[in-house]
């Protein structure tokens, strides 16, 4: 069974600084997708960024980028120029290609310090 | 224009009652899901439906019964509610497995409190 581990229950960063959230996963599959979701206090789940396992290039979305290390099964999220609106729970998630099921990590609560 | 909507957003009820949560998506997706987020914020899939057919049932108690009248709706009915059912329930939808975009779009969640 696939598992997703987020070892940092809480992180904090100064506004305008950069922070990296860690995620590791365990799978025996070779084709899969990885995601980072953001859940602000409104509790809406918002997709931040996704990575296809077959792509070597790391995904980027504006201030958000990932460091995808397939061999190490690591998928960290880097947030540059942190803003107050980035404060939220961040969930790493895994899905095997062709399978509907999303497996989530336990989340990291990110606090932005003004 | 809400993509995935759920009603109600909040639900407070007593143990033993039966309640339903409704979900609708206007994205034209074929696949819909129910997730449960517990008090520790852990999110776990409960069910997925593909064009009204049950695909995933993650060892959820029989008291939970999803119903999909059409591919745009997936309702969750819960019988004999227990204290442990208190959680936030999320509905989500996506295109068919194998589609390149395949992002799951989540509803706003329903906070269920059982007293």
């Amino acid at each position: 069974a696939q598992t997703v581990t987020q070892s940092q229950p809480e992180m904090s960063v100064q506004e305008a600084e950069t922070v990296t959230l860690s995620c590791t996963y365990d799978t025996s599959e070779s084709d899969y997708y990885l995601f980072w979701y953001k859940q602000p206090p409104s509790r809406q789940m918002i997709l931040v960024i996704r990575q296809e396992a077959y792509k070597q290039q790391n995904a980027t979305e504006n201030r958000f980028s990932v460091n995808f290390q397939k061999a190490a099964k690591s998928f960290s999220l880097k947030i540059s120029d942190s803003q107050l609106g980035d404060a939220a729970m961040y969930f790493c998630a895994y899905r095997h290609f062709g399978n509907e099921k999303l497996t989530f990590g336990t989340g990291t609560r990110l606090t932005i310090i003004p | 224009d809400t993509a995935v909507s759920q009603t109600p957003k909040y639900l407070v009820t007593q143990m033993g009652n039966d309640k339903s949560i409704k979900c609708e998506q206007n994205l034209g997706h074929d696949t819909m899901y129910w997730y449960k987020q517990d008090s520790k914020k852990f999110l776990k899939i409960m069910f997925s439906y593909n064009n009204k057919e049950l695909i995933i049932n993650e060892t959820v108690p029989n008291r939970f019964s999803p119903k999909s009248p059409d591919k745009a709706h997936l309702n969750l009915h819960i019988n004999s509610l227990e204290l442990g059912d208190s959680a936030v329930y999320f509905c989500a939808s996506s295109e068919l497995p194998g589609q390149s975009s395949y992002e799951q779009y989540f509803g706003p969640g329903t906070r269920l409190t059982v007293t």
Side-chain angles (χ1 to χ4, degrees):
Chain A
Q2 291 84 13
T3 58
V4 179
T5 302
Q6 293 179 248
S7 58
Q8 306 152 315
E10 295 185 356
M11 291 281 285
S12 60
V13 64
Q14 207 79 30
E15 194 176 0
E17 296 295 309
T18 296
V19 65
T20 299
L21 308 183
S22 301
C23 173
T24 58
Y25 57 95
D26 186 25
T27 183
S28 57
E29 308 292 343
S30 58
D31 293 328
Y32 51 86
Y33 298 90
L34 296 163
F35 307 84
W36 279 98
Y37 278 87
K38 169 185 177 181
Q39 187 179 37
S42 67
R43 82 169 180 245
Q44 178 71 52
M45 294 290 289
I46 303 162
L47 180 66
V48 174
I49 199 165
R50 67 170 161 261
Q51 174 82 40
E52 292 88 342
Y54 64 86
K55 289 187 178 178
Q56 293 187 341
Q57 187 170 5
N58 289 324
T60 62
E61 287 287 341
N62 301 314
R63 297 182 296 107
F64 298 87
S65 61
V66 298
N67 184 1
F68 173 48
Q69 302 288 329
K70 191 172 184 179
K73 296 181 183 173
S74 169
F75 182 61
S76 60
L77 175 70
K78 185 170 88 170
I79 306 174
S80 303
D81 185 26
S82 298
Q83 300 176 0
L84 294 178
D86 295 333
M89 285 287 289
Y90 285 81
F91 292 95
C92 180
Y94 164 99
R95 194 192 73 235
H96 174 221
F97 181 78
N99 188 325
E100 299 92 339
K101 178 181 171 182
L102 261 181
T103 300
F104 285 90
T106 49
T108 297
R109 183 178 300 280
L110 178 64
T111 301
I112 310 297
I113 304 166
Chain B
D1 290 345
T2 305
V4 183
S5 59
Q6 293 178 228
T7 53
K9 286 196 171 58
Y10 298 92
L11 184 53
V12 181
T13 188
Q14 290 185 327
M15 284 176 56
N17 284 348
D18 303 338
K19 289 293 178 185
S20 292
I21 305 172
K22 295 186 176 181
C23 177
E24 177 181 1
Q25 54 96 2
N26 62 7
L27 298 167
H29 289 160
D30 290 285
T31 307
M32 296 185 72
Y33 314 79
W34 278 108
Y35 288 86
K36 179 180 179 180
Q37 186 174 40
D38 62 23
S39 58
K40 296 183 178 178
K41 301 290 189 182
F42 185 58
L43 264 160
K44 191 165 190 281
I45 191 165
M46 300 173 68
F47 302 102
S48 84
Y49 266 72
N50 189 352
N51 203 12
K52 303 197 300 175
E53 182 182 343
L54 180 65
I55 303 297
I56 294 174
N57 181 342
E58 284 284 310
T59 60
V60 177
N62 291 337
R63 299 182 296 103
F64 290 79
S65 53
K67 287 186 170 52
S68 181
D70 54 61
K71 74 173 194 177
H73 295 84
L74 181 62
N75 303 323
L76 184 64
H77 188 75
I78 315 170
N79 290 328
S80 303
L81 278 155
E82 300 177 357
L83 292 176
D85 298 332
S86 295
V88 179
Y89 292 85
F90 285 95
C91 178
S93 73
S94 74
E95 295 178 355
L96 282 170
Q99 298 290 331
S100 59
S101 59
Y102 206 163
E103 172 185 345
Q104 290 190 16
Y105 294 80
F106 284 78
T110 296
R111 181 178 294 281
L112 171 64
T113 304
V114 182
T115 61

Short mmCIF file of all heavy atoms in Angstrom, two decimals, chain B residues 73-113:
data_model
loop_
_atom_site.label_atom_id
_atom_site.label_comp_id
_atom_site.label_asym_id
_atom_site.label_seq_id
_atom_site.Cartn_x
_atom_site.Cartn_y
_atom_site.Cartn_z
N HIS B 73 -24.13 14.18 -9.35
CA HIS B 73 -24.50 14.18 -7.94
C HIS B 73 -24.00 12.93 -7.24
O HIS B 73 -24.08 11.82 -7.79
CB HIS B 73 -26.03 14.26 -7.78
CG HIS B 73 -26.64 15.52 -8.29
ND1 HIS B 73 -26.96 15.70 -9.62
CD2 HIS B 73 -26.96 16.68 -7.65
CE1 HIS B 73 -27.47 16.91 -9.77
NE2 HIS B 73 -27.49 17.53 -8.62
N LEU B 74 -23.48 13.13 -6.04
CA LEU B 74 -23.10 12.00 -5.19
C LEU B 74 -23.43 12.39 -3.76
O LEU B 74 -22.78 13.24 -3.17
CB LEU B 74 -21.60 11.67 -5.31
CG LEU B 74 -21.14 10.48 -4.46
CD1 LEU B 74 -21.86 9.20 -4.88
CD2 LEU B 74 -19.63 10.29 -4.57
N ASN B 75 -24.47 11.76 -3.23
CA ASN B 75 -24.92 12.07 -1.88
C ASN B 75 -24.40 11.02 -0.91
O ASN B 75 -24.13 9.87 -1.29
CB ASN B 75 -26.45 12.12 -1.84
CG ASN B 75 -26.99 13.12 -2.85
OD1 ASN B 75 -26.40 14.19 -3.07
ND2 ASN B 75 -28.10 12.79 -3.48
N LEU B 76 -24.26 11.43 0.34
CA LEU B 76 -23.78 10.52 1.38
C LEU B 76 -24.83 10.44 2.47
O LEU B 76 -25.15 11.46 3.09
CB LEU B 76 -22.45 11.04 1.95
CG LEU B 76 -21.77 10.14 3.00
CD1 LEU B 76 -21.36 8.82 2.38
CD2 LEU B 76 -20.56 10.86 3.60
N HIS B 77 -25.33 9.25 2.69
CA HIS B 77 -26.32 9.04 3.74
C HIS B 77 -25.67 8.26 4.87
O HIS B 77 -24.96 7.27 4.62
CB HIS B 77 -27.52 8.27 3.19
CG HIS B 77 -28.64 8.20 4.16
ND1 HIS B 77 -29.47 9.27 4.43
CD2 HIS B 77 -29.07 7.19 4.96
CE1 HIS B 77 -30.37 8.92 5.35
NE2 HIS B 77 -30.15 7.67 5.68
N ILE B 78 -25.90 8.73 6.09
CA ILE B 78 -25.30 8.08 7.25
C ILE B 78 -26.40 7.68 8.23
O ILE B 78 -27.19 8.53 8.67
CB ILE B 78 -24.29 9.00 7.98
CG1 ILE B 78 -23.37 9.72 6.99
CG2 ILE B 78 -23.46 8.18 8.97
CD1 ILE B 78 -22.53 10.81 7.58
N ASN B 79 -26.46 6.40 8.53
CA ASN B 79 -27.46 5.87 9.48
C ASN B 79 -26.85 5.77 10.88
O ASN B 79 -25.65 5.57 11.04
CB ASN B 79 -27.92 4.49 9.05
CG ASN B 79 -28.77 4.52 7.81
OD1 ASN B 79 -29.50 5.48 7.56
ND2 ASN B 79 -28.67 3.48 7.00
N SER B 80 -27.72 5.86 11.86
CA SER B 80 -27.33 5.59 13.26
C SER B 80 -26.02 6.28 13.61
O SER B 80 -25.03 5.64 13.99
CB SER B 80 -27.18 4.08 13.48
OG SER B 80 -28.38 3.42 13.14
N LEU B 81 -26.02 7.58 13.51
CA LEU B 81 -24.79 8.35 13.71
C LEU B 81 -24.16 8.09 15.06
O LEU B 81 -24.85 7.93 16.09
CB LEU B 81 -25.08 9.84 13.53
CG LEU B 81 -25.09 10.28 12.07
CD1 LEU B 81 -25.95 11.52 11.87
CD2 LEU B 81 -23.67 10.51 11.60
N GLU B 82 -22.81 8.04 15.06
CA GLU B 82 -22.03 7.80 16.27
C GLU B 82 -21.11 9.00 16.51
O GLU B 82 -20.82 9.77 15.60
CB GLU B 82 -21.19 6.53 16.11
CG GLU B 82 -22.01 5.29 15.86
CD GLU B 82 -21.14 4.05 15.63
OE1 GLU B 82 -19.90 4.19 15.62
OE2 GLU B 82 -21.72 2.96 15.48
N LEU B 83 -20.64 9.11 17.77
CA LEU B 83 -19.76 10.24 18.10
C LEU B 83 -18.54 10.28 17.19
O LEU B 83 -18.09 11.35 16.78
CB LEU B 83 -19.31 10.14 19.56
CG LEU B 83 -20.38 10.36 20.62
CD1 LEU B 83 -19.79 10.15 22.02
CD2 LEU B 83 -21.00 11.74 20.52
N GLY B 84 -18.02 9.11 16.84
CA GLY B 84 -16.82 9.03 16.00
C GLY B 84 -17.03 9.46 14.56
O GLY B 84 -16.06 9.58 13.81
N ASP B 85 -18.26 9.69 14.20
CA ASP B 85 -18.54 10.16 12.84
C ASP B 85 -18.31 11.66 12.72
O ASP B 85 -18.32 12.19 11.60
CB ASP B 85 -19.98 9.84 12.44
CG ASP B 85 -20.26 8.35 12.41
OD1 ASP B 85 -19.30 7.57 12.18
OD2 ASP B 85 -21.42 7.95 12.64
N SER B 86 -18.12 12.33 13.84
CA SER B 86 -17.86 13.77 13.80
C SER B 86 -16.57 14.03 13.03
O SER B 86 -15.52 13.48 13.35
CB SER B 86 -17.73 14.34 15.22
OG SER B 86 -18.94 14.23 15.92
N ALA B 87 -16.67 14.84 11.99
CA ALA B 87 -15.55 15.08 11.09
C ALA B 87 -15.99 16.09 10.05
O ALA B 87 -17.15 16.52 10.03
CB ALA B 87 -15.12 13.79 10.39
N VAL B 88 -15.05 16.45 9.17
CA VAL B 88 -15.41 17.23 7.99
C VAL B 88 -15.43 16.27 6.81
O VAL B 88 -14.48 15.52 6.59
CB VAL B 88 -14.42 18.37 7.74
CG1 VAL B 88 -14.82 19.15 6.48
CG2 VAL B 88 -14.37 19.31 8.93
N TYR B 89 -16.50 16.30 6.06
CA TYR B 89 -16.65 15.42 4.91
C TYR B 89 -16.53 16.25 3.63
O TYR B 89 -17.23 17.25 3.46
CB TYR B 89 -17.99 14.69 4.96
CG TYR B 89 -18.06 13.70 6.09
CD1 TYR B 89 -18.42 14.11 7.38
CD2 TYR B 89 -17.71 12.36 5.90
CE1 TYR B 89 -18.44 13.21 8.44
CE2 TYR B 89 -17.73 11.46 6.95
CZ TYR B 89 -18.10 11.90 8.22
OH TYR B 89 -18.11 11.01 9.26
N PHE B 90 -15.62 15.82 2.77
CA PHE B 90 -15.39 16.53 1.52
C PHE B 90 -15.87 15.69 0.34
O PHE B 90 -15.56 14.50 0.25
CB PHE B 90 -13.90 16.82 1.31
CG PHE B 90 -13.37 17.92 2.17
CD1 PHE B 90 -12.75 17.64 3.37
CD2 PHE B 90 -13.48 19.24 1.76
CE1 PHE B 90 -12.25 18.65 4.16
CE2 PHE B 90 -12.97 20.27 2.55
CZ PHE B 90 -12.36 19.97 3.75
N CYS B 91 -16.55 16.34 -0.55
CA CYS B 91 -16.88 15.77 -1.84
C CYS B 91 -15.85 16.29 -2.85
O CYS B 91 -15.34 17.41 -2.71
CB CYS B 91 -18.29 16.20 -2.24
SG CYS B 91 -18.84 15.62 -3.83
N ALA B 92 -15.53 15.49 -3.84
CA ALA B 92 -14.59 15.92 -4.88
C ALA B 92 -15.01 15.30 -6.21
O ALA B 92 -15.78 14.33 -6.24
CB ALA B 92 -13.16 15.53 -4.53
N SER B 93 -14.50 15.85 -7.30
CA SER B 93 -14.77 15.26 -8.60
C SER B 93 -13.54 15.39 -9.48
O SER B 93 -12.66 16.23 -9.23
CB SER B 93 -15.97 15.93 -9.28
OG SER B 93 -15.64 17.23 -9.75
N SER B 94 -13.47 14.55 -10.50
CA SER B 94 -12.36 14.62 -11.44
C SER B 94 -12.79 14.00 -12.77
O SER B 94 -13.83 13.35 -12.85
CB SER B 94 -11.12 13.89 -10.91
OG SER B 94 -11.31 12.49 -10.98
N GLU B 95 -11.95 14.18 -13.77
CA GLU B 95 -12.17 13.48 -15.03
C GLU B 95 -11.86 12.00 -14.83
O GLU B 95 -11.39 11.57 -13.77
CB GLU B 95 -11.27 14.09 -16.11
CG GLU B 95 -11.62 15.53 -16.42
CD GLU B 95 -10.70 16.13 -17.46
OE1 GLU B 95 -9.73 15.45 -17.86
OE2 GLU B 95 -10.94 17.27 -17.87
N LEU B 96 -12.06 11.23 -15.88
CA LEU B 96 -11.82 9.80 -15.80
C LEU B 96 -10.34 9.49 -15.54
O LEU B 96 -9.48 10.26 -15.99
CB LEU B 96 -12.22 9.13 -17.11
CG LEU B 96 -13.71 8.90 -17.34
CD1 LEU B 96 -13.95 8.46 -18.77
CD2 LEU B 96 -14.25 7.86 -16.36
N PRO B 97 -10.05 8.42 -14.85
CA PRO B 97 -8.66 8.00 -14.69
C PRO B 97 -7.99 7.86 -16.05
O PRO B 97 -8.61 7.40 -16.99
CB PRO B 97 -8.78 6.63 -14.02
CG PRO B 97 -10.11 6.63 -13.38
CD PRO B 97 -10.99 7.51 -14.22
N GLY B 98 -6.77 8.30 -16.12
CA GLY B 98 -6.05 8.22 -17.38
C GLY B 98 -6.07 9.52 -18.13
O GLY B 98 -5.26 9.71 -19.03
N GLN B 99 -7.01 10.41 -17.79
CA GLN B 99 -7.01 11.73 -18.42
C GLN B 99 -5.80 12.51 -17.93
O GLN B 99 -5.44 12.42 -16.76
CB GLN B 99 -8.29 12.49 -18.06
CG GLN B 99 -9.57 11.82 -18.54
CD GLN B 99 -9.69 11.86 -20.03
OE1 GLN B 99 -9.19 12.77 -20.68
NE2 GLN B 99 -10.34 10.87 -20.62
N SER B 100 -5.24 13.31 -18.76
CA SER B 100 -3.96 13.93 -18.41
C SER B 100 -4.08 14.92 -17.27
O SER B 100 -3.21 15.00 -16.42
CB SER B 100 -3.36 14.62 -19.63
OG SER B 100 -4.27 15.61 -20.09
N SER B 101 -5.18 15.67 -17.20
CA SER B 101 -5.26 16.70 -16.17
C SER B 101 -5.59 16.07 -14.82
O SER B 101 -4.88 16.26 -13.85
CB SER B 101 -6.29 17.75 -16.52
OG SER B 101 -7.55 17.16 -16.69
N TYR B 102 -6.70 15.38 -14.78
CA TYR B 102 -6.99 14.45 -13.69
C TYR B 102 -6.92 15.07 -12.29
O TYR B 102 -6.73 14.39 -11.33
CB TYR B 102 -5.99 13.30 -13.74
CG TYR B 102 -6.50 12.00 -13.13
CD1 TYR B 102 -5.87 10.82 -13.40
CD2 TYR B 102 -7.57 12.01 -12.26
CE1 TYR B 102 -6.30 9.65 -12.83
CE2 TYR B 102 -8.01 10.85 -11.67
CZ TYR B 102 -7.36 9.66 -11.96
OH TYR B 102 -7.78 8.51 -11.39
N GLU B 103 -7.04 16.37 -12.22
CA GLU B 103 -7.03 17.02 -10.91
C GLU B 103 -8.35 16.75 -10.22
O GLU B 103 -9.40 16.72 -10.84
CB GLU B 103 -6.85 18.52 -11.09
CG GLU B 103 -7.02 19.34 -9.83
CD GLU B 103 -6.96 20.83 -10.11
OE1 GLU B 103 -6.52 21.21 -11.19
OE2 GLU B 103 -7.36 21.60 -9.22
N GLN B 104 -8.30 16.55 -8.92
CA GLN B 104 -9.52 16.40 -8.14
C GLN B 104 -9.90 17.77 -7.59
O GLN B 104 -9.12 18.44 -6.95
CB GLN B 104 -9.33 15.39 -7.01
CG GLN B 104 -9.20 13.97 -7.54
CD GLN B 104 -9.27 12.91 -6.46
OE1 GLN B 104 -9.70 13.16 -5.33
NE2 GLN B 104 -8.83 11.71 -6.79
N TYR B 105 -11.14 18.16 -7.86
CA TYR B 105 -11.68 19.43 -7.39
C TYR B 105 -12.54 19.16 -6.16
O TYR B 105 -13.45 18.33 -6.23
CB TYR B 105 -12.51 20.10 -8.49
CG TYR B 105 -11.70 20.54 -9.68
CD1 TYR B 105 -11.32 19.62 -10.66
CD2 TYR B 105 -11.31 21.86 -9.84
CE1 TYR B 105 -10.58 20.01 -11.75
CE2 TYR B 105 -10.58 22.26 -10.93
CZ TYR B 105 -10.21 21.33 -11.88
OH TYR B 105 -9.47 21.72 -12.96
N PHE B 106 -12.25 19.87 -5.10
CA PHE B 106 -12.93 19.61 -3.84
C PHE B 106 -14.06 20.61 -3.58
O PHE B 106 -13.96 21.78 -3.95
CB PHE B 106 -11.94 19.69 -2.68
CG PHE B 106 -11.06 18.48 -2.58
CD1 PHE B 106 -9.97 18.31 -3.42
CD2 PHE B 106 -11.33 17.50 -1.64
CE1 PHE B 106 -9.18 17.17 -3.35
CE2 PHE B 106 -10.53 16.37 -1.54
CZ PHE B 106 -9.46 16.20 -2.39
N GLY B 107 -15.08 20.12 -2.91
CA GLY B 107 -16.13 20.99 -2.41
C GLY B 107 -15.67 21.68 -1.14
O GLY B 107 -14.56 21.43 -0.66
N PRO B 108 -16.51 22.55 -0.57
CA PRO B 108 -16.12 23.34 0.61
C PRO B 108 -16.12 22.54 1.91
O PRO B 108 -15.67 23.04 2.93
CB PRO B 108 -17.18 24.43 0.65
CG PRO B 108 -18.37 23.82 -0.01
CD PRO B 108 -17.83 22.90 -1.06
N GLY B 109 -16.62 21.32 1.87
CA GLY B 109 -16.64 20.50 3.08
C GLY B 109 -17.91 20.68 3.89
O GLY B 109 -18.55 21.75 3.85
N THR B 110 -18.29 19.64 4.59
CA THR B 110 -19.43 19.68 5.53
C THR B 110 -18.91 19.25 6.89
O THR B 110 -18.39 18.15 7.04
CB THR B 110 -20.55 18.72 5.08
OG1 THR B 110 -21.08 19.16 3.84
CG2 THR B 110 -21.65 18.66 6.13
N ARG B 111 -19.02 20.17 7.85
CA ARG B 111 -18.59 19.82 9.21
C ARG B 111 -19.74 19.17 9.94
O ARG B 111 -20.76 19.81 10.22
CB ARG B 111 -18.11 21.05 9.97
CG ARG B 111 -17.64 20.72 11.39
CD ARG B 111 -17.12 21.92 12.15
NE ARG B 111 -15.91 22.46 11.56
CZ ARG B 111 -14.70 21.96 11.73
NH1 ARG B 111 -14.52 20.89 12.49
NH2 ARG B 111 -13.66 22.53 11.17
N LEU B 112 -19.59 17.89 10.23
CA LEU B 112 -20.61 17.13 10.93
C LEU B 112 -20.20 16.98 12.39
O LEU B 112 -19.09 16.53 12.69
CB LEU B 112 -20.76 15.74 10.30
CG LEU B 112 -21.64 14.73 11.05
CD1 LEU B 112 -23.09 15.21 11.10
CD2 LEU B 112 -21.55 13.35 10.41
N THR B 113 -21.09 17.38 13.28
CA THR B 113 -20.87 17.24 14.72
C THR B 113 -21.97 16.37 15.30
O THR B 113 -23.16 16.70 15.16
CB THR B 113 -20.86 18.61 15.42
OG1 THR B 113 -19.87 19.45 14.82
CG2 THR B 113 -20.55 18.45 16.90
#
